[in-house]
Amino acid sequence: MPRLLALLLCLSAAEATVAQTYSMYVANESDDTVMLIEFDGESLAIADTIAVGLIHTEIEGPHGLAIDPEGNSLFVSIAHGQPNGSVVRYSTADHRPMGAAKLGLFPASMAISPHTGLLYVVNFNLHGDPEPSSISVVDPEMMLEVGQIPTGIMPHGSAFGADGTRHYSVAMMDHVLVELDALNLRVLRKIPLGMGTKPTWVALHPHEPQAYVAANGSDQVVIVNTEEGSVLTQIPASGSPYNLAVSPDGSTLVVTLKGAQAVSILDLSTAAERARVPTSSPIPHGVVIAPDNEYAFVTSEGIGAAPGTVDVIHLASATRVASTQAGQQTGGIAFWKMED
């Protein structure tokens, strides 16, 4: 009996310490590649590299990434075109292209509605004089643009509330948070964030009616009540906040600071910075948080010919636990899956 008990205890301990493998995709904007990267709890590894783009003599700029709810398809926004950009669908099983759709000028960030199943791609539009741009709505099965919704000047960020019926983005040069009716494809509200905020990204709380906006121009994170359509408060975030992500349990907000070579970890129960963690290379860009709330994965673009990087931040200890070099100007990131 003692031997049996000891064996059972050993088996239980082994099960408790089974390592997870975290898989994600990152986009390298200046070398036209997307990489599948895996983290085994100790180190990062590049599992595959996908060459993207159609014009082999030009850099076409893969920018934003999204994965369908089933995890079967990867969507990549191609920022540059002649003149319009596009979005391309790839199979996550073998990384073969499965279709493409022409969009607007400089398509960037995007998200899929869990309610409509449609893909909402923000057309950032870096071309010519500042003028209002749009969000392209794409049927991901047909790879067909079914609508284009005008929003504001230099729209960016793409996120949904929990039920998938409300879509949120920002208009950088209009200093507003834009709320769309995802079902009827129309703008419901434009919520002022304050002149000079120059918002670049938005993330939604998983349970509360709150949106978190990276105010790149004013070094703040702006918290918006999405029921009332008003600003609740501003949290100082020195270092040019760019991108952000809320943990699935709603306890933590992670913000990339492009001007500080760091990420800020905020405790959402107090709306205060708990820690600031340096990244392994300059110009932090994208961030995602694993479904188990354990790790944040952060991309950094790098400077000049230096390669971009991917860092793993352990959230409980606020430490960088792994890093790897990626491609040129590593930016967009999408979490794919977590497996034993």
Side-chain angles (χ1 to χ4, degrees), residues 63-79:
H63 189 88
L65 303 174
I67 296 174
D68 71 335
E70 294 78 25
N72 296 327
S73 297
L74 167 70
F75 298 90
V76 181
S77 67
I78 306 297

PDB file of all heavy atoms in Angstrom, residues 63-79:
ATOM      1  N   HIS A  63       1.134  42.892 -42.135  1.00  0.00           N
ATOM      2  CA  HIS A  63       0.995  43.771 -40.971  1.00  0.00           C
ATOM      3  C   HIS A  63       0.175  43.145 -39.847  1.00  0.00           C
ATOM      4  O   HIS A  63       0.658  42.952 -38.749  1.00  0.00           O
ATOM      5  CB  HIS A  63       0.387  45.103 -41.406  1.00  0.00           C
ATOM      6  CG  HIS A  63       0.397  46.155 -40.346  1.00  0.00           C
ATOM      7  ND1 HIS A  63       1.456  47.007 -40.161  1.00  0.00           N
ATOM      8  CD2 HIS A  63      -0.522  46.494 -39.409  1.00  0.00           C
ATOM      9  CE1 HIS A  63       1.206  47.825 -39.150  1.00  0.00           C
ATOM     10  NE2 HIS A  63       0.000  47.537 -38.678  1.00  0.00           N
ATOM     11  N   GLY A  64      -1.096  42.862 -40.136  1.00  0.00           N
ATOM     12  CA  GLY A  64      -1.983  42.331 -39.102  1.00  0.00           C
ATOM     13  C   GLY A  64      -2.239  40.847 -39.282  1.00  0.00           C
ATOM     14  O   GLY A  64      -2.143  40.314 -40.384  1.00  0.00           O
ATOM     15  N   LEU A  65      -2.580  40.177 -38.179  1.00  0.00           N
ATOM     16  CA  LEU A  65      -2.864  38.743 -38.192  1.00  0.00           C
ATOM     17  C   LEU A  65      -4.141  38.463 -37.409  1.00  0.00           C
ATOM     18  O   LEU A  65      -4.439  39.148 -36.422  1.00  0.00           O
ATOM     19  CB  LEU A  65      -1.718  37.947 -37.560  1.00  0.00           C
ATOM     20  CG  LEU A  65      -0.316  38.105 -38.153  1.00  0.00           C
ATOM     21  CD1 LEU A  65       0.694  37.360 -37.290  1.00  0.00           C
ATOM     22  CD2 LEU A  65      -0.270  37.590 -39.574  1.00  0.00           C
ATOM     23  N   ALA A  66      -4.864  37.449 -37.847  1.00  0.00           N
ATOM     24  CA  ALA A  66      -6.031  36.977 -37.102  1.00  0.00           C
ATOM     25  C   ALA A  66      -6.215  35.499 -37.391  1.00  0.00           C
ATOM     26  O   ALA A  66      -5.833  35.007 -38.465  1.00  0.00           O
ATOM     27  CB  ALA A  66      -7.291  37.757 -37.497  1.00  0.00           C
ATOM     28  N   ILE A  67      -6.796  34.792 -36.438  1.00  0.00           N
ATOM     29  CA  ILE A  67      -7.048  33.354 -36.575  1.00  0.00           C
ATOM     30  C   ILE A  67      -8.521  33.098 -36.309  1.00  0.00           C
ATOM     31  O   ILE A  67      -9.107  33.681 -35.379  1.00  0.00           O
ATOM     32  CB  ILE A  67      -6.162  32.543 -35.614  1.00  0.00           C
ATOM     33  CG1 ILE A  67      -4.689  32.740 -35.990  1.00  0.00           C
ATOM     34  CG2 ILE A  67      -6.520  31.059 -35.646  1.00  0.00           C
ATOM     35  CD1 ILE A  67      -3.710  32.106 -35.029  1.00  0.00           C
ATOM     36  N   ASP A  68      -9.149  32.257 -37.119  1.00  0.00           N
ATOM     37  CA  ASP A  68     -10.567  31.985 -36.931  1.00  0.00           C
ATOM     38  C   ASP A  68     -10.800  31.228 -35.620  1.00  0.00           C
ATOM     39  O   ASP A  68      -9.880  30.635 -35.057  1.00  0.00           O
ATOM     40  CB  ASP A  68     -11.130  31.222 -38.133  1.00  0.00           C
ATOM     41  CG  ASP A  68     -10.652  29.782 -38.217  1.00  0.00           C
ATOM     42  OD1 ASP A  68      -9.574  29.479 -37.675  1.00  0.00           O
ATOM     43  OD2 ASP A  68     -11.339  28.955 -38.837  1.00  0.00           O
ATOM     44  N   PRO A  69     -12.032  31.281 -35.082  1.00  0.00           N
ATOM     45  CA  PRO A  69     -12.304  30.656 -33.777  1.00  0.00           C
ATOM     46  C   PRO A  69     -11.976  29.174 -33.708  1.00  0.00           C
ATOM     47  O   PRO A  69     -11.635  28.659 -32.638  1.00  0.00           O
ATOM     48  CB  PRO A  69     -13.807  30.897 -33.587  1.00  0.00           C
ATOM     49  CG  PRO A  69     -14.097  32.116 -34.399  1.00  0.00           C
ATOM     50  CD  PRO A  69     -13.196  32.018 -35.599  1.00  0.00           C
ATOM     51  N   GLU A  70     -12.060  28.469 -34.833  1.00  0.00           N
ATOM     52  CA  GLU A  70     -11.737  27.036 -34.829  1.00  0.00           C
ATOM     53  C   GLU A  70     -10.242  26.779 -34.918  1.00  0.00           C
ATOM     54  O   GLU A  70      -9.784  25.637 -34.751  1.00  0.00           O
ATOM     55  CB  GLU A  70     -12.436  26.341 -35.999  1.00  0.00           C
ATOM     56  CG  GLU A  70     -13.957  26.311 -35.899  1.00  0.00           C
ATOM     57  CD  GLU A  70     -14.575  27.649 -36.272  1.00  0.00           C
ATOM     58  OE1 GLU A  70     -13.930  28.415 -37.029  1.00  0.00           O
ATOM     59  OE2 GLU A  70     -15.689  27.929 -35.800  1.00  0.00           O
ATOM     60  N   GLY A  71      -9.463  27.791 -35.226  1.00  0.00           N
ATOM     61  CA  GLY A  71      -8.016  27.633 -35.348  1.00  0.00           C
ATOM     62  C   GLY A  71      -7.566  27.019 -36.647  1.00  0.00           C
ATOM     63  O   GLY A  71      -6.407  26.610 -36.778  1.00  0.00           O
ATOM     64  N   ASN A  72      -8.446  26.990 -37.655  1.00  0.00           N
ATOM     65  CA  ASN A  72      -8.111  26.334 -38.918  1.00  0.00           C
ATOM     66  C   ASN A  72      -7.518  27.277 -39.961  1.00  0.00           C
ATOM     67  O   ASN A  72      -6.871  26.826 -40.908  1.00  0.00           O
ATOM     68  CB  ASN A  72      -9.358  25.668 -39.505  1.00  0.00           C
ATOM     69  CG  ASN A  72      -9.890  24.556 -38.626  1.00  0.00           C
ATOM     70  OD1 ASN A  72      -9.122  23.861 -37.965  1.00  0.00           O
ATOM     71  ND2 ASN A  72     -11.198  24.405 -38.591  1.00  0.00           N
ATOM     72  N   SER A  73      -7.755  28.566 -39.810  1.00  0.00           N
ATOM     73  CA  SER A  73      -7.319  29.531 -40.825  1.00  0.00           C
ATOM     74  C   SER A  73      -6.581  30.694 -40.191  1.00  0.00           C
ATOM     75  O   SER A  73      -6.984  31.197 -39.134  1.00  0.00           O
ATOM     76  CB  SER A  73      -8.524  30.075 -41.613  1.00  0.00           C
ATOM     77  OG  SER A  73      -9.174  29.035 -42.319  1.00  0.00           O
ATOM     78  N   LEU A  74      -5.522  31.120 -40.863  1.00  0.00           N
ATOM     79  CA  LEU A  74      -4.756  32.299 -40.487  1.00  0.00           C
ATOM     80  C   LEU A  74      -5.011  33.366 -41.550  1.00  0.00           C
ATOM     81  O   LEU A  74      -4.904  33.100 -42.745  1.00  0.00           O
ATOM     82  CB  LEU A  74      -3.263  31.960 -40.438  1.00  0.00           C
ATOM     83  CG  LEU A  74      -2.284  33.142 -40.371  1.00  0.00           C
ATOM     84  CD1 LEU A  74      -2.374  33.834 -39.021  1.00  0.00           C
ATOM     85  CD2 LEU A  74      -0.855  32.664 -40.647  1.00  0.00           C
ATOM     86  N   PHE A  75      -5.323  34.588 -41.109  1.00  0.00           N
ATOM     87  CA  PHE A  75      -5.552  35.701 -42.020  1.00  0.00           C
ATOM     88  C   PHE A  75      -4.429  36.716 -41.852  1.00  0.00           C
ATOM     89  O   PHE A  75      -4.066  37.076 -40.728  1.00  0.00           O
ATOM     90  CB  PHE A  75      -6.907  36.348 -41.748  1.00  0.00           C
ATOM     91  CG  PHE A  75      -8.058  35.406 -41.954  1.00  0.00           C
ATOM     92  CD1 PHE A  75      -8.529  34.624 -40.905  1.00  0.00           C
ATOM     93  CD2 PHE A  75      -8.652  35.269 -43.204  1.00  0.00           C
ATOM     94  CE1 PHE A  75      -9.572  33.729 -41.089  1.00  0.00           C
ATOM     95  CE2 PHE A  75      -9.698  34.389 -43.401  1.00  0.00           C
ATOM     96  CZ  PHE A  75     -10.152  33.609 -42.349  1.00  0.00           C
ATOM     97  N   VAL A  76      -3.874  37.160 -42.983  1.00  0.00           N
ATOM     98  CA  VAL A  76      -2.734  38.088 -42.983  1.00  0.00           C
ATOM     99  C   VAL A  76      -3.105  39.301 -43.822  1.00  0.00           C
ATOM    100  O   VAL A  76      -3.464  39.159 -44.998  1.00  0.00           O
ATOM    101  CB  VAL A  76      -1.474  37.418 -43.565  1.00  0.00           C
ATOM    102  CG1 VAL A  76      -0.289  38.385 -43.530  1.00  0.00           C
ATOM    103  CG2 VAL A  76      -1.142  36.127 -42.828  1.00  0.00           C
ATOM    104  N   SER A  77      -3.028  40.487 -43.227  1.00  0.00           N
ATOM    105  CA  SER A  77      -3.247  41.694 -44.025  1.00  0.00           C
ATOM    106  C   SER A  77      -1.949  42.089 -44.705  1.00  0.00           C
ATOM    107  O   SER A  77      -0.889  42.120 -44.091  1.00  0.00           O
ATOM    108  CB  SER A  77      -3.783  42.842 -43.158  1.00  0.00           C
ATOM    109  OG  SER A  77      -2.817  43.283 -42.227  1.00  0.00           O
ATOM    110  N   ILE A  78      -2.033  42.342 -46.000  1.00  0.00           N
ATOM    111  CA  ILE A  78      -0.890  42.769 -46.809  1.00  0.00           C
ATOM    112  C   ILE A  78      -1.075  44.262 -47.054  1.00  0.00           C
ATOM    113  O   ILE A  78      -1.978  44.685 -47.785  1.00  0.00           O
ATOM    114  CB  ILE A  78      -0.820  41.999 -48.133  1.00  0.00           C
ATOM    115  CG1 ILE A  78      -0.823  40.484 -47.872  1.00  0.00           C
ATOM    116  CG2 ILE A  78       0.414  42.417 -48.920  1.00  0.00           C
ATOM    117  CD1 ILE A  78       0.358  39.966 -47.085  1.00  0.00           C
ATOM    118  N   ALA A  79      -0.197  45.071 -46.457  1.00  0.00           N
ATOM    119  CA  ALA A  79      -0.436  46.509 -46.386  1.00  0.00           C
ATOM    120  C   ALA A  79      -0.290  47.214 -47.730  1.00  0.00           C
ATOM    121  O   ALA A  79      -1.032  48.142 -48.040  1.00  0.00           O
ATOM    122  CB  ALA A  79       0.504  47.139 -45.365  1.00  0.00           C
TER     123      ALA A  79
END
